[in-house]
Amino acid sequence: SRDCLSTQFNGEPKSYTRFSVARQTDGDNTHVEMNLSADDEEGGEMGRAEHPHASMPPRWRSGKNFCFLIIAAVLLLLIGFLIGYLSYRGRMQKASRCLDGSSKCEMTPTASYLADDNEADEEEVSGPPVFYWPQLKDLLSDKLSATHLEDNLRQRENKYSVEAGQSEDEALAGYIHEQFSSFFLDEVWNDEHYIKLQVKGSSNNEVSILENDKEELLESPEAYVAYSKSGSVTGKPVYVNYGLKADFQKLEGISLNGTIIIFRAGKITLAEKVANAKEAGAVGVLMFLDPYDYKGTAGLVPFGHAHLGTGDPFTPGFPSFNHTQFPPVESSGLPHIAVQTISSRTAGQLFRKMDGQECFQEWKSEIVGCKVMPSSANNMTVKLTVNNAMVDRKILNIFGAIKGFEEPDRYVVIGAQRDSWGPGAAKAGVGTAMLLELTRVISDIVKNEGYKPRRSIIFASWSAGEYGAVGATEWLEGYSATLHAKAFTYINLDAAVLGFNQMRISASPLLYTLLERTMRGVEDPTKDSGSLYDRVGLDWVKTVVPPGLDNAAFPFLAYSGIPVVSFGFCNKDEEYPFLGTTQDTVGNLKKIHNLYHVMRAAAEVAGQIALRLTHDHELFLDFERYSDELLAFQEKLLPYDEDVKALGLTLHWLFFARGDFQRATDELRRDIGSSDRENKIIRRVLNDRIMKVEYDFLSPYLSPKDVPFRHIFFGKGSHTLQSLLDNLKLLQTSPGSVDVNMLKEQLALATWTIKGAANALVGDIWNTDNEF
């Protein structure tokens, strides 16, 4: 301890500071006052005797007063000696305990994420070794190797398929388990799940044209779409661009019942396109890769899945463990219409047979002769035959862990998908290569360099990611009761390199500040100078894409309420053409400029985020960001205030709830600023309040089984803030179509979810209220 006492007769202390210890469980706010002399502010070396300082006493007019002064001085010297001795003895005992390993002690300096990375005013505490953040960051950068990444990616060469639960997937799982063990992680284990998958049947699916009682086979591709309805359907073909809701609105007034909808890939996931087609009344869906968006893919047919959700759709809300008994239910996200992917060549053949309305200008593709549908006189129809089959399979998730030294039950998870329908070099190979390299490097830093992470790091290799993050979601469902209180960040490595000249970022607002700080400290791999932050620019937050159903980070955020970040490289205005196809090979991936250095930069971003989250005393999660997000949402609602009032409703309660959240974040920041950061109990209580912020935006008024993605910002369903905004827009564009009771429910759910998040952030129940 650096504490010492300095007093001065007839005077005031030379310096004064006050800090409050955070609320105890009995509600008392304890305040401690300390007097520090100006000299003691400089500090001293351990073991050096501490001396009291006093100003010169005033002159005394009598011998009696002079004797009293001498006695008082002797007493003060004795008291000072005793305090100094006890302080010295206590420090020596603590140092000996740190050195002999018989007791825990602080191993790293304290820091707040509000301070700059290279600031030198971090407060040092007892116990070697001490790792300041700049030192730890440099160590990570020095040890990451582009050569190791290349070696790891080479495991994907000569692979035709790594389908979930099949021999290639199991062999790769065994290899990753062996690698984790060779890195001397604290724990390595497998997690088994028994799931239902829809796979390719005994014969290929078929797309034919029926015209004048004749059937012409157009294509019978190797690829298939999982969770399609099996059987044959027939209908008139209708082209609806990307399958967005806005695209369907352009065909308003045209009946789509019984039709087979044709889409081009992109903009939204295949599952979302299928859901929109089903809502419009279609019986089947065909999707192709437009050469305008996907260069050089004229003959390629992509794989995909049609489940509007994640996880095993036949155990919604339940973990797929072998010993669990399931009710006979299925996910509401299953489409129950036939779905198949086709090549752009086959799409061109269909367009040439369609002699009706020309495509809208913005719907034009590189395929010549784009048409919306056949003419009314044309009797041509499309026949789609799907032969997919359901199977039961065992899949393995592979885990490795480095345990934290202070809070081993709090952890950051780094994960990557392992399986792929084709070779999967970009889809799964890059992420797996980065996962292995980060595991090697971080383990080396801990085991050989002496870094002691405060919190644990879990490395995860997921299976069945191609079917909708099945492996990751089943893990979340299996441990849902505890994961939200233990895992405080998920870092997704999937498809991290799909190009080189632009960055693609999906993240929770809680991680924006950390991500920006990280990008400032990682060199741009495509330039001789400058950082990644120089590339993304000041307004990079405006380019952040919310995680979607095709991102394994999505269930962590929207289902479990765990902050996520998914970071990668791509090419501007150009899709990686081979993703999800049989041509997703290492050879094609190597065409990306400076591939392995780009992979190394992406790995450095992920590694820095993981290490920073285990390094600082205060969790580097910027809880105040959600105040900005709520304020931005409130501004979007303001134009509809009068429309809502006309219905006898009000937006004011929602606005007041936002204000309560703002005040709650301000109070938490004050509590953190006035707390003793050396007190582990107080630190844990404050960090627990921080890490619960994301979880508290899961609406507690919905069933996770019926509405799994309950997050009001990033979820799916009528409870989301975006759905509320869409309904309010209808008050001006189509007031007759607004369901007022549904609007009331949306306002109530949003208001009380935000209010509940504010109350949880405040902490103690006696500091909350439900008044507006």
Side-chain angles (χ1 to χ4, degrees):
S1 171
R2 293 169 50 194
D3 297 349
C4 61
L5 296 175
S6 176
T7 58
Q8 184 174 339
F9 288 113
N10 300 328
E12 295 294 322
K14 290 188 178 181
S15 68
Y16 174 84
T17 183
R18 169 177 291 173
F19 63 91
S20 69
V21 180
R23 292 186 181 85
Q24 307 300 314
T25 54
D26 63 359
D28 176 43
N29 288 348
T30 305
H31 295 277
V32 181
E33 296 186 3
M34 302 173 61
N35 294 338
L36 305 174
S37 74
D39 291 336
D40 272 337
E41 201 66 41
E42 299 295 325
E45 293 180 7
M46 182 182 294
R48 182 173 297 175
E50 295 176 4
H51 303 284
H53 300 274
S55 61
M56 293 299 294
R59 294 189 178 91
W60 296 87
R61 295 178 181 176
S62 69
K64 182 179 179 180
N65 286 341
F66 182 77
C67 290
F68 177 79
L69 179 61
I70 294 296
I71 292 170
V74 170
L75 286 173
L76 284 173
L77 284 171
L78 286 173
I79 292 170
F81 174 79
L82 287 173
I83 292 173
Y85 171 75
L86 292 173
S87 174
Y88 169 82
R89 185 169 179 267
R91 286 198 302 271
M92 290 300 98
Q93 288 176 343
K94 184 174 181 181
S96 67
R97 287 196 300 269
C98 288
L99 292 173
D100 67 16
S102 61
S103 180
K104 291 184 179 179
C105 58
E106 297 292 343
M107 294 297 185
T108 54
T110 63
S112 169
Y113 70 75
L114 296 177
D116 290 335
D117 286 348
N118 297 314
E119 283 184 357
D121 62 350
E122 291 180 330
E123 191 175 339
E124 196 171 328
V125 287
S126 305
V130 171
F131 275 87
Y132 290 101
W133 173 245
Q135 176 189 3
L136 188 58
K137 181 176 65 173
D138 291 343
L139 203 55
L140 172 72
S141 183
D142 292 342
K143 289 180 178 291
L144 282 173
S145 165
T147 302
H148 278 105
L149 288 166
E150 183 176 2
D151 293 340
N152 292 339
L153 185 60
R154 196 173 292 123
Q155 293 291 323
R156 217 74 189 185
E157 286 184 336
N158 304 319
K159 301 276 194 230
Y160 176 74
S161 174
V162 190
E163 188 169 328
Q166 297 291 72
S167 58
E168 287 284 2
D169 180 39
E170 290 188 355
L172 188 54
Y175 172 77
I176 292 171
H177 191 286
E178 290 175 2
Q179 289 293 296
F180 281 179
S181 299
S182 73
F183 298 145
F184 301 104
L185 301 182
D186 295 322
E187 300 285 347
V188 178
W189 73 99
N190 297 346
D191 195 45
E192 293 184 356
H193 294 276
Y194 293 80
I195 61 175
K196 284 187 180 294
L197 297 178
Q198 192 186 56
V199 300
K200 180 182 173 183
S202 57
S203 59
N204 290 357
N205 299 338
E206 296 181 347
V207 179
S208 307
I209 288 178
L210 299 178
E211 192 173 19
N212 299 323
D213 298 325
K214 292 183 180 179
E215 181 174 345
E216 177 188 353
L217 178 65
L218 293 183
E219 192 165 26
S220 182
E222 289 287 328
Y224 68 97
V225 176
Y227 306 123
S228 162
K229 178 183 177 181
S230 294
S232 293
V233 294
T234 304
K236 281 200 173 279
V238 179
Y239 175 59
V240 195
N241 198 25
Y242 291 108
L244 303 169
K245 286 187 178 294
D247 294 330
F248 279 95
Q249 288 169 3
K250 278 188 169 291
L251 299 181
E252 194 171 356
I254 299 175
S255 175
L256 298 179
N257 287 331
T259 59
I260 290 181
I261 304 294
I262 303 171
F263 301 128
R264 51 177 168 168
K267 305 297 184 184
I268 56 176
T269 64
L270 172 57
E272 289 169 300
K273 297 174 191 285
V274 173
N276 291 341
K278 179 185 177 184
E279 186 179 349
V283 296
V285 163
L286 300 172
M287 188 188 77
F288 67 94
L289 300 175
D290 187 347
Y292 177 80
D293 298 314
Y294 299 84
K295 310 295 183 188
T297 57
L300 286 181
V301 181
F303 292 85
H305 76 86
H307 176 215
L308 190 67
T310 64
D312 183 351
F314 297 97
T315 58
F318 299 92
S320 294
F321 293 128
N322 195 34
H323 58 271
T324 307
Q325 300 298 310
F326 305 108
V329 295
E330 63 179 39
S331 169
S332 59
L334 288 174
H336 296 294
I337 62 174
V339 187
Q340 178 59 44
T341 47
I342 58 175
S343 66
S344 59
R345 289 173 183 163
T346 298
Q349 289 179 275
L350 286 170
F351 284 151
R352 286 190 287 275
K353 292 282 187 178
M354 295 158 61
D355 57 354
Q357 178 184 338
E358 290 278 341
C359 286
F360 302 104
Q361 184 60 41
E362 58 270 30
W363 288 15
K364 297 279 187 181
S365 73
E366 280 203 2
I367 300 175
V368 178
C370 177
K371 300 287 195 308
V372 173
M373 63 183 70
S375 65
S376 57
N378 191 333
N379 64 357
M380 184 268 285
T381 58
V382 171
K383 179 183 178 183
L384 171 58
T385 302
V386 176
N387 302 309
N388 297 352
M390 296 300 302
V391 296
D392 293 315
R393 281 195 186 157
K394 181 184 79 172
I395 61 169
L396 295 174
N397 294 327
I398 312 299
F399 296 95
I402 295 174
K403 293 183 179 179
F405 284 77
E406 183 176 309
E407 294 183 287
D409 60 338
R410 300 290 184 266
Y411 30 82
V412 55
V413 184
I414 308 175
Q417 171 184 327
R418 183 178 69 248
D419 67 296
S420 59
W421 275 308
K427 187 72 176 288
V430 168
T432 299
M434 289 167 53
L435 178 69
L436 290 172
E437 176 64 356
L438 284 169
T439 309
R440 180 190 72 83
V441 169
I442 295 175
S443 178
D444 184 26
I445 291 173
V446 173
K447 304 300 180 183
N448 299 322
E449 301 294 341
Y451 170 57
K452 307 295 184 186
R454 297 184 187 281
R455 304 166 194 97
S456 300
I457 303 175
I458 293 179
F459 304 93
S461 173
W462 312 113
S463 185
E466 292 281 41
Y467 293 85
V470 173
T473 302
E474 295 308 314
W475 185 64
L476 291 170
E477 289 178 345
Y479 306 98
S480 59
T482 58
L483 275 179
H484 74 272
K486 295 178 180 292
F488 56 86
T489 295
Y490 178 65
I491 302 169
N492 183 38
L493 304 178
D494 293 342
V497 180
L498 301 176
F500 70 95
N501 61 26
Q502 186 166 310
M503 279 177 285
R504 169 187 48 79
I505 301 170
S506 295
S508 161
L510 292 174
L511 288 161
Y512 285 175
T513 301
L514 175 55
L515 187 55
E516 179 172 312
R517 192 77 59 84
T518 301
M519 289 190 292
R520 289 180 184 274
V522 177
E523 294 180 1
D524 190 332
T526 63
K527 297 180 180 178
D528 295 332
S529 62
S531 67
L532 293 180
Y533 180 77
D534 295 330
R535 181 193 290 200
V536 297
L538 187 64
D539 294 329
W540 69 271
V541 172
K542 296 178 180 178
T543 68
V544 172
V545 179
L549 288 167
D550 57 347
N551 189 328
F554 178 76
F556 281 85
L557 179 61
Y559 174 78
S560 294
I562 297 170
V564 302
V565 59
S566 185
F567 178 95
F569 292 84
C570 60
N571 286 333
K572 187 176 182 180
D573 301 325
E574 186 179 329
E575 300 283 353
Y576 183 71
F578 308 114
L579 203 66
T581 73
T582 56
Q583 293 303 304
D584 186 10
T585 63
V586 174
N588 280 326
L589 188 63
K590 284 180 179 178
K591 295 175 184 178
I592 295 175
H593 175 68
N594 216 8
L595 171 64
Y596 298 110
H597 290 282
V598 174
M599 286 175 62
R600 186 194 170 283
E604 188 171 357
V605 170
Q608 278 201 31
I609 291 172
L611 287 175
R612 190 65 186 264
L613 287 168
T614 64
H615 172 271
D616 295 357
H617 279 182
E618 180 187 333
L619 272 182
F620 206 133
L621 297 175
D622 189 357
F623 54 88
E624 291 163 300
R625 276 282 187 171
Y626 265 117
S627 290
D628 300 335
E629 296 294 316
L630 286 169
L631 184 59
F633 176 70
Q634 178 175 309
E635 291 173 354
K636 294 178 182 177
L637 297 184
L638 287 175
Y640 309 102
D641 192 34
E642 294 301 321
D643 300 290
V644 171
K645 285 180 180 177
L647 298 175
L649 304 174
T650 180
L651 296 175
H652 290 177
W653 282 19
L654 186 57
F655 297 163
F656 290 147
R658 185 211 64 79
D660 286 344
F661 187 84
Q662 174 68 64
R663 286 184 286 275
T665 60
D666 293 342
E667 180 168 342
L668 178 54
R669 175 53 59 203
R670 285 193 297 269
D671 286 350
I672 293 171
S674 62
S675 69
D676 175 12
R677 287 187 298 171
E678 304 307 317
N679 187 312
K680 294 180 181 179
I681 296 175
I682 295 171
R683 202 160 63 220
R684 183 177 173 93
V685 169
L686 291 172
N687 281 337
D688 282 354
R689 286 166 65 184
I690 293 172
M691 68 181 284
K692 274 191 93 275
V693 170
E694 197 78 72
Y695 180 79
D696 289 329
F697 282 113
L698 301 185
S699 178
Y701 308 104
L702 302 170
S703 164
K705 176 180 171 295
D706 299 326
V707 187
F709 307 122
R710 296 176 293 142
H711 203 295
I712 62 172
F713 281 95
F714 299 102
K716 299 289 183 183
S718 61
H719 65 285
T720 62
L721 298 181
Q722 184 59 51
S723 179
L724 169 60
L725 184 60
D726 291 342
N727 218 6
L728 290 175
K729 289 178 180 177
L730 290 177
L731 291 176
Q732 295 183 355
T733 59
S734 180
S737 63
V738 176
D739 184 335
V740 177
N741 287 330
M742 179 181 175
L743 182 60
K744 286 181 179 180
E745 181 175 309
Q746 287 179 311
L747 288 170
L749 287 176
T751 299
W752 286 106
T753 301
I754 296 168
K755 178 68 175 175
N759 288 345
L761 199 58
V762 167
D764 296 319
I765 192 66
W766 46 84
N767 292 312
T768 66
D769 66 72
N770 286 324
E771 297 179 6
F772 288 91

